[in-house]
Amino acid sequence: MTTRNEELFQRAQQHIPAGVNSPVRAFRAVGGAPPFFERAAGAYLWDADGKRYLDYLGSWGPMVLGHTHPAVVEAVQAAASKALSFGAPTEAEIELAEAICRLVPSIEMVRLVSSGTEATMTAIRLARGYTGRSLIVKFEGCYHGHADSLLVKAGSGALTFGNPSSAGVPAETAAHTLVLDFNDSEQVKKTFSARGSDIACVIVEPVAGNMNLVLPAAGFLETLREQCTKHGAVLIFDEVMTGFRVAQGGAQARYGITPDLTTLGKVIGGGLPVGAVGGKREIMQKIAPLGPVYQAGTLSGNPVAVAAGLATLKLVEEKDFQAKIEATTQALIQGLIAEAQKAKVVFSAQSIGSMFGLYFRAAPPASFAEVMQCDKDRFNKFFHAMLDKGVYLAPSAYEAGFVSAAHGGAEIDSTLAAARAAFKA
Ligand code: HOZ
């Protein structure tokens, strides 16, 4: 019998390419019809057939408090009852900017946008405008949204479908993007000694989360900082994923590295579309209308989205928030490793803050090449076995997972029970 999910998926494909708009387009890689969701609360989601799922994706990162947190819903309702959009400043935007600058110390000024892609695109333009140089450096498997110059050997959905460099990006544009190997400090040094005076910026996910989860090797982020400073290039940390997840002040706080610019998204919108680019005052003052680097957006600083972000950050700022969510994530990872060992499955896992990676490989990967060695078919099998049991993981072997503050001991126990069976599938 056709389920309601399947019916909706058939219908969606008539007028929406592949039937999807969101990153769940990745579902095509694991096969089958994606669940169409109707509601969510705390750590759980319900699909169109009324099936409940324990959620480890959190809308691809933003839902750090869990779904429909009462404080966030109340803030959104209050803001929506006053206005949906002004395209003019509000006091709440100042409060959100103040909160971001307080929580992420390298950010002296911040401009709100509506997505992570807008944030990274703006950061690159700012770096080029500030330095007067064209070349940008990124790392294979890192994903920084879908702006042309960044869709070169990218991670996330692009990698999931085996098209890490998108069609439609002119070769002339891609030629300005140098792609290096994540965690290869020597290659970074060599590149800077050859082309240092042409490099406008280095953009990096300080903890890579779009080729599964890859932690920075000892000294890698330090090398980026040192080389950018030495050669007058701008260091951009893309913390769209890691912001308020890897630590309250992001990966930069956890690893003690100060970037020149930071891009944010996901958590700062609490589930509504907000992105941000921020950093050194000297660079941020180049942005229009203060400076010559143009940036725009009709809905930037939207009052409803800002209200959701502010309500979320207020709770994220509470003492022990990060420690508790990190402990839950560690319990999940240790439990999964133990279950895989019992089932004699070649598997490893790791976490940092409330982000985690699962790998069908003996040890966590430290490079893009090692990520490629993970057993993708085994992942797809595990994914579907977990989904059947009501556990919703990222539908791609190349995405990090997320735990929320609404996950607790009961959720970890039921996940491990599901995994016990799924490792045998
Ligand atoms: N950054 C998100 C996943 N890590 C979204 C990417 C996408 O839309 O494919």
Side-chain angles (χ1 to χ4, degrees):
M1 202 181 74
T2 315
T3 64
R4 173 111 178 99
N5 269 317
E6 285 161 350
E7 267 169 34
L8 289 173
F9 192 42
Q10 288 302 325
R11 187 173 141 210
Q13 289 172 80
Q14 303 308 308
H15 297 289
I16 303 172
V20 292
N21 292 308
S22 67
V24 83
R25 76 186 79 81
F27 207 95
R28 205 177 166 89
V30 290
F36 277 60
F37 290 116
E38 286 192 340
R39 67 190 174 93
Y44 296 95
L45 306 162
W46 284 264
D47 76 8
D49 289 304
K51 178 169 172 171
R52 190 182 82 156
Y53 300 84
L54 178 48
D55 181 20
Y56 283 105
L57 191 51
S59 186
W60 305 79
M63 312 315 298
V64 71
L65 304 178
H67 292 277
T68 52
H69 190 287
V72 181
V73 173
E74 201 181 301
V76 165
Q77 284 169 339
S81 70
K82 289 194 208 151
L84 294 178
S85 182
F86 295 112
T90 62
E91 187 173 352
E93 284 168 71
I94 312 173
E95 287 172 26
L96 185 55
E98 287 169 349
I100 291 170
C101 293
R102 184 170 64 243
L103 289 166
V104 187
S106 74
I107 301 186
E108 294 171 342
M109 294 186 104
V110 61
R111 171 64 58 85
L112 297 182
V113 293
S114 298
S115 70
T117 290
E118 280 181 61
T120 53
M121 187 182 77
T122 304
I124 297 285
R125 189 176 302 139
L126 253 179
R128 285 174 162 157
Y130 175 73
T131 57
R133 304 172 182 175
S134 299
L135 272 190
I136 66 174
V137 171
K138 76 174 285 287
F139 296 91
E140 183 164 20
C142 281
Y143 175 78
H144 306 287
H146 62 289
D148 281 358
S149 53
L150 294 165
L151 266 187
V152 186
K153 295 197 180 179
S156 195
L159 178 60
T160 301
F161 293 116
N163 296 315
S165 301
S166 174
V169 174
E172 298 83 341
T173 302
H176 292 295
T177 304
L178 297 181
V179 184
L180 306 185
D181 295 322
F182 189 78
N183 274 341
D184 189 339
S185 298
E186 284 316 305
Q187 198 186 34
V188 170
K189 287 183 200 163
K190 274 190 203 142
T191 304
F192 266 100
S193 44
R195 313 219 37 197
S197 58
D198 300 324
I199 296 174
C201 63
V202 172
I203 184 165
V204 67
E205 292 180 80
V207 171
N210 285 290
M211 51 168 154
N212 208 325
L213 183 83
V214 182
L215 301 183
F220 178 62
L221 298 177
E222 287 79 356
T223 301
L224 300 184
R225 179 63 280 172
E226 177 195 291
Q227 293 297 310
C228 284
T229 304
K230 189 169 160 195
H231 295 272
V234 174
L235 178 60
I236 305 169
F237 272 12
D238 179 353
E239 299 236 38
V240 167
M241 271 182 143
T242 51
F244 316 103
R245 281 223 173 246
V246 155
Q248 207 173 63
Q252 54 195 270
R254 188 149 191 148
Y255 290 98
I257 308 289
T258 306
D260 302 305
L261 291 177
T262 300
T263 54
L264 296 168
K266 302 198 191 270
V267 168
I268 56 163
L272 269 67
V274 182
V277 53
K280 275 191 180 156
R281 192 172 295 275
E282 189 190 332
I283 305 177
M284 291 303 293
Q285 283 175 337
K286 297 283 178 213
I287 212 165
L290 272 188
V293 178
Y294 197 67
Q295 182 276 330
T298 301
L299 295 175
S300 299
N302 173 270
V304 182
V306 163
L310 259 180
T312 301
L313 288 192
K314 209 170 273 175
L315 292 165
V316 165
E317 251 190 279
E318 280 182 357
K319 195 172 162 281
D320 296 336
F321 179 90
Q322 296 291 347
K324 188 170 164 276
I325 195 171
E326 176 154 354
T328 310
T329 314
Q330 279 167 357
L332 169 74
I333 292 313
Q334 283 156 13
L336 287 172
I337 293 172
E339 291 302 335
Q341 277 168 354
K342 280 188 235 159
K344 299 194 178 9
V345 172
V346 178
F347 174 83
S348 56
Q350 66 184 351
S351 66
I352 181 163
S354 55
M355 289 173 74
F356 65 85
L358 311 179
Y359 323 96
F360 286 88
R361 181 179 190 278
S367 65
F368 179 79
E370 288 185 358
V371 170
M372 292 300 110
Q373 292 163 1
C374 295
D375 185 340
K376 214 168 88 186
D377 296 337
R378 194 66 192 73
F379 169 82
N380 288 355
K381 244 184 176 177
F382 182 74
F383 170 84
H384 275 293
M386 292 296 270
L387 193 71
D388 280 352
K389 301 210 164 305
V391 179
Y392 188 69
L393 298 168
S396 162
Y398 303 125
E399 297 281 357
F402 299 96
V403 168
S404 83
H407 290 71
E411 282 72 29
I412 302 304
D413 289 347
S414 63
T415 309
L416 298 182
R420 205 162 299 147
F423 277 124
K424 290 181 193 136

